[in-house]
Amino acid sequence: MLIPRHWMAAAACVGLFAHPARPQTASEFQVKSAYLYDFAKRAQWPEHTLPNDKSKLVICVFGDESDFPDVLKSTLAGKDIREHPIEVRHLQSSGELKSCHVAFIRIANGNARAALAQLENTNVLSVGEDKEFLSQGGMINLTLQDGGIRFELNSAAIERADIRYGRHDSPKSRGDQDTSLQNKTARALKISSQPLYPGIAKTMNLRGSVQLEVTVKPDGSVKDVRVIGGHPLLADAAVRCVKQWRYEPSGQETTEVVKLNFEIQ
C-alpha cells in the first residue's frame, strides 16, 4: 500500500525536486541530506545488519553527480543514529548497493528498476526522487507537490525488507505511552531555552514549526524526545534544545507535547 506523507516545508523549498537537469545548489543538497538522515533515524533494521554499537550505519548514493555525496558527508559529519556512526558511500556500481542500510538512488526517468532489482531480498531502505520509483519497488520517494516537499511510502516494500519504519517502541512501552497521552499533564517548565536557528535554514529563509512528544521522568529531566512533525533541518535543532530542558518534579513519568516555532526576524 502506498501511503502519502506530508512533511512541513517552507516556500523557499519550492523547486527543490524539479527536473534533474536543472542545476542544483549546495543548500538544496543539504536539505536532501537532512531528509536522508531523518529517514534513517525513523528506520529500524534487523539486528544482524547492525550487530553491535560500533557497527556503521551506511548511507549510499548511487547515480548522478559526484557533488552530492560530498555535501552529504559534510552535513552528517559527527552525527550518529542510535550510537551507530554514519558512513557515506558514493557507489559506482549497482552491485555494491547490498552493502548499504539506506540507498539513495538518483536515477531519473524511470530507470531505477535495474538498481532496485539488486536490492530484492535485502534489508536496504531504498529512497528515490522519480515518479516511477515506488511503482518499480522503491520504498520512499521524494516529490514536489503544491509548493511543498512530500514523501510517499511503499509500506509493503518496507515490510518485505523486514524494516520497521516509524516508532520503535516495544508493545509494552507503546501501551504505556498511549495511556499517558490520554491523560496528558501540563507540567511546568523549570529550565528551558530557545533552539539555535540552523545556519542553512536561515540562508534558505526556511521557517515553520516543529512539534515534539517529550517523555519526562518523575524528577523533571527529559528521558526521550520524538518528532511528530516539522522540517528535518529544524527538527534536529529542536530536539537538541528540548533534551536540555527540565520540568518541575512530579509523582510519575509524563508525556508532554511541545510546539516550537522558527521565525526569521
Side-chain angles (χ1 to χ4, degrees):
M1 180 174 63
L2 307 185
I3 306 176
R5 300 290 174 92
H6 182 261
W7 202 252
M8 295 181 187
C13 294
V14 173
L16 181 59
F17 298 104
H19 193 280
R22 182 182 64 81
Q24 299 177 60
T25 66
S27 60
E28 291 175 355
F29 287 155
Q30 287 174 305
V31 173
K32 291 182 180 181
S33 298
Y35 272 97
L36 290 177
Y37 179 59
D38 190 71
F39 295 150
K41 287 199 299 184
R42 291 169 178 266
Q44 184 168 317
W45 286 267
E47 187 174 349
H48 69 86
T49 66
L50 291 164
N52 56 65
D53 291 342
K54 295 183 179 180
S55 300
K56 293 181 179 179
L57 196 154
V58 181
I59 300 178
C60 300
V61 181
F62 176 67
D64 208 7
E65 66 285 297
S66 60
D67 292 341
F68 178 73
D70 292 336
V71 175
L72 180 62
K73 288 179 182 179
S74 62
T75 302
L76 302 187
K79 295 184 181 296
D80 61 61
I81 294 176
R82 292 183 291 280
E83 299 185 357
H84 294 290
I86 297 174
E87 178 181 342
V88 176
R89 299 178 185 171
H90 186 201
L91 305 185
Q92 305 299 326
S93 167
S94 61
E96 301 175 87
L97 287 167
K98 295 179 182 179
S99 66
C100 313
H101 294 94
V102 179
F104 187 27
I105 301 174
R106 308 200 71 212
I107 301 175
N109 303 318
N111 294 324
R113 191 182 303 276
L116 288 169
Q118 296 287 335
L119 297 179
E120 290 184 7
N121 302 315
T122 69
N123 307 115
V124 179
L125 183 70
S126 58
V127 182
E129 49 183 351
D130 182 72
K131 62 181 181 180
E132 304 292 335
F133 191 72
L134 296 187
S135 64
Q136 293 178 347
M139 299 177 188
I140 302 178
N141 192 47
L142 297 167
T143 64
L144 177 69
Q145 185 178 345
D146 299 328
I149 299 172
R150 296 175 183 269
F151 63 90
E152 296 177 318
L153 301 180
N154 184 338
S155 59
I158 295 174
E159 290 173 6
R160 284 196 298 271
D162 198 20
I163 298 172
R164 295 174 61 193
Y165 188 85
R167 295 180 67 161
H168 308 141
D169 309 306
S170 66
K172 181 179 184 301
S173 64
R174 183 163 57 243
D176 290 344
Q177 288 192 348
D178 286 341
T179 300
S180 63
L181 281 173
Q182 292 171 2
N183 300 283
K184 282 198 292 282
T185 63
R187 288 174 70 169
L189 271 167
K190 189 174 181 180
I191 300 174
S192 65
S193 59
Q194 291 296 316
L196 294 175
Y197 214 122
I200 182 177
K202 284 185 177 181
T203 301
M204 297 182 66
N205 196 32
L206 187 63
R207 65 191 72 195
S209 61
V210 175
Q211 193 165 4
L212 306 171
E213 184 181 277
V214 184
T215 304
V216 185
K217 297 179 183 179
D219 66 3
S221 62
V222 173
K223 175 181 178 181
D224 185 48
V225 181
R226 188 175 74 89
V227 178
I228 300 174
H231 194 285
L233 278 179
L234 303 177
D236 197 39
V239 169
R240 288 198 303 269
C241 173
V242 172
K243 281 183 175 180
Q244 307 303 315
W245 287 7
R246 195 169 186 91
Y247 288 77
E248 292 291 345
S250 174
Q252 62 181 355
E253 185 174 285
T254 63
T255 301
E256 313 297 322
V257 176
V258 173
K259 185 176 182 181
L260 295 175
N261 295 313
F262 288 79
E263 295 291 337
I264 299 175
Q265 301 298 323

